Amino acid sequence: MSGNSFGKAFVVTTWGESHGKALGAVIDGCPPRLRLTESDIQNELDRRRARGAPASTTRREPDKVEILSGVFEERTTGTPISLLIHNKDVDSKAYEAIKDTFRPGHGDITYQKKYAIRDYRGGGRASGRETAARVAAGAVARAVLDQEGITVTAYTLELAGIRAQKMDLEDVEKNPFLTPDRDAVALMEKKIEEIRTCGDSAGGVVEVLVHGCPPGLGEPVFDKLDADLAKALMSIGAVKAVEIGVGMEAARLLGSECNDEITPEGFATNRSGGILAGISNGDDIILRAAVKPIPSIQIEQKTIDIHSQPTTISVKGRHDISAIPRIVPVCEAMVRLVIVDHLLRQRVLG
Amino acid sequence: MSGNSFGKAFVVTTWGESHGKALGAVIDGCPPRLRLTESDIQNELDRRRARGAPASTTRREPDKVEILSGVFEERTTGTPISLLIHNKDVDSKAYEAIKDTFRPGHGDITYQKKYAIRDYRGGGRASGRETAARVAAGAVARAVLDQEGITVTAYTLELAGIRAQKMDLEDVEKNPFLTPDRDAVALMEKKIEEIRTCGDSAGGVVEVLVHGCPPGLGEPVFDKLDADLAKALMSIGAVKAVEIGVGMEAARLLGSECNDEITPEGFATNRSGGILAGISNGDDIILRAAVKPIPSIQIEQKTIDIHSQPTTISVKGRHDISAIPRIVPVCEAMVRLVIVDHLLRQRVLG
Amino acid sequence: MSGNSFGKAFVVTTWGESHGKALGAVIDGCPPRLRLTESDIQNELDRRRARGAPASTTRREPDKVEILSGVFEERTTGTPISLLIHNKDVDSKAYEAIKDTFRPGHGDITYQKKYAIRDYRGGGRASGRETAARVAAGAVARAVLDQEGITVTAYTLELAGIRAQKMDLEDVEKNPFLTPDRDAVALMEKKIEEIRTCGDSAGGVVEVLVHGCPPGLGEPVFDKLDADLAKALMSIGAVKAVEIGVGMEAARLLGSECNDEITPEGFATNRSGGILAGISNGDDIILRAAVKPIPSIQIEQKTIDIHSQPTTISVKGRHDISAIPRIVPVCEAMVRLVIVDHLLRQRVLG
Amino acid sequence: MSGNSFGKAFVVTTWGESHGKALGAVIDGCPPRLRLTESDIQNELDRRRARGAPASTTRREPDKVEILSGVFEERTTGTPISLLIHNKDVDSKAYEAIKDTFRPGHGDITYQKKYAIRDYRGGGRASGRETAARVAAGAVARAVLDQEGITVTAYTLELAGIRAQKMDLEDVEKNPFLTPDRDAVALMEKKIEEIRTCGDSAGGVVEVLVHGCPPGLGEPVFDKLDADLAKALMSIGAVKAVEIGVGMEAARLLGSECNDEITPEGFATNRSGGILAGISNGDDIILRAAVKPIPSIQIEQKTIDIHSQPTTISVKGRHDISAIPRIVPVCEAMVRLVIVDHLLRQRVLG
């Protein structure tokens, strides 16, 4: 009844703690005969790594992935694909201080209450580092999607209150914030620097765009495509809200403003975000995730220790200022996992 | 690989079409020896029924529930509980017109593309009527939660742009909009009447509050409590966005504004919405769903028929103007299902 | 974590107690556009009903099935198919005597220990009557298999020590024991009469033959086709052993006697029972289930009551002398469910 | 829809090919705070390794296990436990010969038909080597069972036609055949030597005994304890039949000979094998698996190549003569997995 697996047809199980020996993923259900190499996966992992972006940690993990099974002569065989990433740059000393103290905004206190034991080093299983395994699995999903002509692109729509005004998707990979608005980059950089100086942290909004998704994906009534996408994004530690299409704005629109009229050439608008009654309609799928600020801040905060005694904490360690942009490839990976899962599930209908 | 079941320990399977013989739910995994009667379930169904609220349909279903199994001498036995609700007031004639025409904003076109067949009468499986089965199942979940002292309360935070300013939860059941702000009722009524006159429809925001939830519920890393809650709400047809705690606002806060400091008496604030790292922290769980306007509007809209020929449609039939307030008990039911499921899952830890 | 669902792609959930209002099944994952009528299902149920065979109960249930959802204009729609069978000939009085006494060989004592409550009437959920829902679901599976040209035939290989010597499958439906050896019928009849006179009961062996199954079905390593078939048959109350192909005899054969040599025309022999490494090889699949005697016997037996006090019991009620032949269509149904499930699962590979 | 995971509460996912880089298991759902070290797991793996028993292969794998996650300071944390076993003594040359030829009795032909690709080296995923991961996972299960006082013991009841006559369980670990009858050892040795000389192979029967299992485990109606045990054993490559309690013999007994009478001190006999109506009754659970002879034999056999051309094959390589005794700890591991899974599932009832 534990929850470390995701998907029903394309099933990903991840494991590993931030400061353990390694972390990894097992993918069960990947179709056979797809071309897949370690460098396909490495490419995606490299996008998630800290790259000297102003918002990022100074921990430097090479995140070198190994494929241990399920691939023979660079082709998937239909058997489980086991991916392994060793932890190298582990420095647990900084965490001794928080062994007995719960960091506000973190899972320290809830893990302790749930399990009555926890690997406190680096946040253990609750660390953002866990998402490396998701990204690796997402790269396998990408191999399936590439073959079907489906692309998934995530980008920073907003960071620390600065919102992208332009949508040049080809610019996304050209700037450290993975934003489609090159003019916003300098503003974001400046803002992040200010926040860092204050010892504080920042959140933002990630948008994900799925192009080329065929109509018909999604399973009524509970495993709707949007329901599974919402779960996928909300399962990422820092995410506090998920929107599909017009999202929250739907609450204020009239029916005549919210419906997408249908023409022989397709939908006239895309307010639905590409999903109707939980099933893809063939249009682009658009969704957004609100990312909260990194809870580890240097500003002193009130908290308690494991004996419920009051204390204060100022988190040092090697932390990002914002989960953005490193969370961007994670959102992309999670959306890929959902799309592949539903693509395979749809095949059952024959 | 179909998706008509929900939950892992407390598993609900629903079935039934809007204009079929009946609809129902099977609950597998309900603990034994709980008191449960048909009237416990009927109470919840009655809350979901159209009650002459200005926003509601004129279809009048008695929604009389029968318990067919799993209960013996008013106690659950641990075996599957089968609930049956007959459809009585079925008038499919109004739907003959849309047999060959796809209604904008509805699942007509996506169901057709997915299955290459569809029960078009009343929207078939995609009808909001399907949620009666969810509410019935939620009533069984309530029997478990009552015993644990956990309450789940949903209410209308916003309808057609009018937002509740007061939070008097005891007022919720006293007005037809299920809003905690009695002063907003007249405004909502007026607004809904205006929209009805225009042949249009309206959306809104439902908020759900869980009180008394013990810490420790939620399973890392994919089946986080908030991830499952997001899926639960997004699986309701009309929902386009889900927020936990500060929700979308998290994107614009600083870490020092978003974290909840911890004191020996508990959390100083509740921006997290009661969930940290996907696990309940013992505080109230707060979440919101954005509800889109009912897509069936009388205003003429462009669409196509099943031969892809352009046409127009003006939907008559017996429709609600807004999914609110009837969706409120549905949100409540879905949240109950998630909380019970995780409550039972937590027991596995011993 | 309860276990009333079976299958992963073609998922059957059954519910209902022997003396409750009704019993039924929900089938989620049936492919759309298949022809399906109530009489298709009724035919299979009629085969399971007591038909005046010497081994059968005197309870006379019409077992009239209703399709409540998932079928529109005699075609499946891809949505859940809900099947309902009302209990009519319920006579619970005979069971008052056993309310407080555990019948040897029955689940009375284990249900009580598991749930600390039980619906004792007619054995409740543990009654053989539960299998009516399996047979109904198996009839839906048959609609899928028919389309693929796969046939599943079960028959009585042995009853009360009398083994069929001939294998005339066309004779199976022509005799009350569903045996392929018409010469064995009189012997079986005589033997059963003798046992009935003694107030005792008898077991036997059911064999199931799957013809036309394509190669490639079955999922390594745990969901092997034979593993799922073994579970399917062993999940029937009275079954105590399951064999595939040569079965128990495999233990005494040499490799050279057990292997099936391969020729361009196919396998030279079929000792494997049509399954290699858990995957169908295209040959006939052959399996057998050992069925224990009905535990309800008139002969007095020692037992205890719910207060752990010693007592004796002689079970009256309306019972079969043997689960055979009524269990034969149940075995057939369970095998159909497994084959359909794996047929659909194989489609995922594309 | 692939099948490399086992269990619902204690979920084991295995991965790895015979001649790949490594193999392993991920256990999701192990309760927290249990003591667990690599040597606990190593002990079980060492029992499975070829130990110079006359029936065994000459491949010498150290099978050194590493715990990569889920354990902190020698205690389980409730997060997934990842186990890794590197393949060291890989010699794929002997398999080049069978790259294009299907070995009778093996999965070569069915894997090829299922996936249209296969890692032919050493049998790939279909190799008995896969069971090392099961044994490793079973060792984790043992940590749970030890705490509950439940013991699982498997032994060789029969090998190559020689059946144990004595049941001295303390002798099992003292002889290379893992048989409880020390007097049978010399006979078995002689018989195996004869078979090896002929280039042939042998099967046998493994019996498994569960002691200390509480009553109440097992979930009606499909996930019966015996159903899941049957699946567990049948999922081991070489197993062709599974019996519970009296097993096949049940078919020939009368009800009065098959029922276990109940006394205040417990059941008078144990013909049921400790399971009634799919639920453990508190007595010892007894089951048996029939193991077919190793299909790789030196005797020349007819077969075809991947172009369907007739050919012959005489399998050299480093093979066991019998899956016994190495399969004994595998059976034990699989039974442990089932018992732990149902133990945890029972906790849900509260």
Side-chain angles (χ1 to χ4, degrees), chain A residues 157-164 191 195 200-206 240-241 243 248 252 288-293 322 324, chain B residues 243 246-258:
Chain A
L157 187 67
E158 190 177 317
L159 174 60
I162 296 160
R163 196 177 181 93
K191 188 74 181 170
I195 292 168
D200 217 328
S201 64
V205 179
V206 175
K240 296 302 287 182
E243 299 188 315
M248 288 306 298
R252 279 131 222 164
R288 282 174 302 285
V291 178
K292 74 171 186 178
S322 177
I324 290 177
Chain B
E243 298 187 315
V246 289
M248 287 307 297
E249 196 50 33
R252 277 131 224 164
L253 298 176
L254 295 172
S256 57
E257 297 166 333
C258 191

Side-chain angles (χ1 to χ4, degrees), chain D residues 55-334:
Chain D
S56 297
T57 174
T58 60
R59 177 171 171 184
R60 289 288 171 270
E61 282 290 351
D63 281 355
K64 185 86 190 66
V65 71
E66 274 185 89
I67 300 176
L68 298 179
S69 68
V71 176
F72 180 56
E73 298 176 345
E74 305 202 338
R75 295 275 163 189
T76 60
T77 61
T79 61
I81 300 171
S82 177
L83 304 177
L84 180 78
I85 302 166
H86 276 284
N87 286 326
K88 300 287 187 188
D89 186 21
V90 171
D91 172 12
S92 303
K93 268 168 283 159
Y95 291 96
E96 279 300 312
I98 58 138
K99 181 179 173 182
D100 298 331
T101 304
F102 300 126
R103 293 168 299 170
H106 274 283
D108 302 343
I109 192 167
T110 51
Y111 267 69
Q112 188 66 37
K113 294 205 178 213
K114 182 175 190 69
Y115 298 113
I117 186 175
R118 77 184 207 278
D119 178 352
Y120 57 84
R121 302 166 306 162
R125 182 83 179 131
S127 166
R129 183 145 178 73
E130 168 262 326
T131 59
R134 303 188 186 210
V135 169
V140 179
R142 183 177 190 156
V144 184
L145 294 178
D146 280 354
Q147 185 185 253
E148 304 279 336
I150 303 170
T151 59
V152 178
T153 313
Y155 42 84
T156 301
L157 187 66
E158 190 178 318
L159 174 59
I162 296 158
R163 196 176 183 94
Q165 304 299 330
K166 291 199 290 185
M167 280 294 153
D168 295 329
L169 295 191
E170 63 279 16
D171 280 353
V172 170
E173 294 294 319
K174 294 181 187 156
N175 68 79
F177 294 110
L178 300 177
T179 177
D181 180 357
R182 90 187 69 111
D183 299 342
V185 172
L187 295 169
M188 288 175 177
E189 226 158 87
K190 185 157 166 291
K191 187 73 179 173
I192 285 293
E193 233 13 78
E194 276 173 38
I195 292 168
R196 181 191 301 278
T197 307
C198 302
D200 217 327
S201 64
V205 178
V206 174
E207 189 165 85
V208 192
L209 180 83
V210 184
H211 183 69
C213 183
L217 305 196
E219 296 293 331
V221 295
F222 295 114
D223 295 354
K224 287 186 164 88
L225 189 59
D226 38 359
D228 278 353
L229 286 167
K231 173 168 176 166
L233 291 181
M234 198 69 96
S235 78
I236 304 171
V239 173
K240 297 301 287 181
V242 179
E243 299 188 315
I244 311 279
V246 289
M248 288 305 299
E249 197 51 33
R252 278 132 222 162
L253 297 176
L254 294 171
S256 57
E257 297 166 333
C258 192
N259 286 345
D260 298 306
E261 290 185 297
I262 317 176
T263 76
E265 293 72 40
F267 293 91
T269 49
N270 186 2
R271 291 135 177 183
S272 72
I275 300 174
L276 276 172
I279 303 172
S280 63
N281 67 11
D283 221 331
D284 284 352
I285 296 171
I286 298 166
L287 57 162
R288 284 174 300 285
V291 178
K292 76 170 184 177
I294 292 279
S296 294
I297 56 176
Q298 297 198 22
I299 294 172
E300 195 175 83
Q301 298 171 91
K302 285 184 206 153
T303 189
I304 58 172
D305 64 20
I306 56 167
H307 310 294
S308 289
Q309 294 306 304
T311 180
T312 61
I313 191 165
S314 160
V315 185
K316 314 290 189 209
R318 300 171 297 175
H319 295 286
D320 294 343
I321 293 303
S322 177
I324 290 176
R326 296 182 68 196
I327 205 173
V328 171
V330 180
C331 294
E332 212 175 275
M334 290 308 299

Side-chain angles (χ1 to χ4, degrees), chain D residues 21-70:
Chain D
K21 277 192 184 179
L23 48 86
V26 180
I27 296 106
D28 196 19
C30 184
R33 301 183 307 278
L34 289 172
R35 214 184 118 73
L36 184 73
T37 66
E38 286 177 353
S39 66
D40 293 333
I41 302 168
Q42 198 62 53
N43 286 346
E44 297 294 322
L45 282 169
D46 289 348
R47 290 181 63 220
R48 198 203 70 99
R49 285 173 59 213
R51 295 175 283 186
S56 297
T57 174
T58 60
R59 177 171 171 184
R60 289 288 171 270
E61 282 290 351
D63 281 355
K64 185 86 190 66
V65 71
E66 274 185 89
I67 300 176
L68 298 179
S69 68

Side-chain angles (χ1 to χ4, degrees), chain C residues 100-161:
Chain C
D100 297 331
T101 304
F102 301 126
R103 293 168 298 169
H106 274 283
D108 302 340
I109 192 167
T110 51
Y111 268 69
Q112 188 66 35
K113 294 205 177 212
K114 182 176 190 67
Y115 298 114
I117 186 175
R118 77 184 209 278
D119 178 353
Y120 57 83
R121 301 167 305 161
R125 183 81 180 132
S127 166
R129 183 144 178 75
E130 167 262 325
T131 59
R134 302 188 187 211
V135 169
V140 179
R142 183 176 190 156
V144 184
L145 294 177
D146 281 355
Q147 185 185 251
E148 305 279 337
I150 303 170
T151 59
V152 177
T153 313
Y155 43 85
T156 302
L157 188 67
E158 192 177 317
L159 174 60

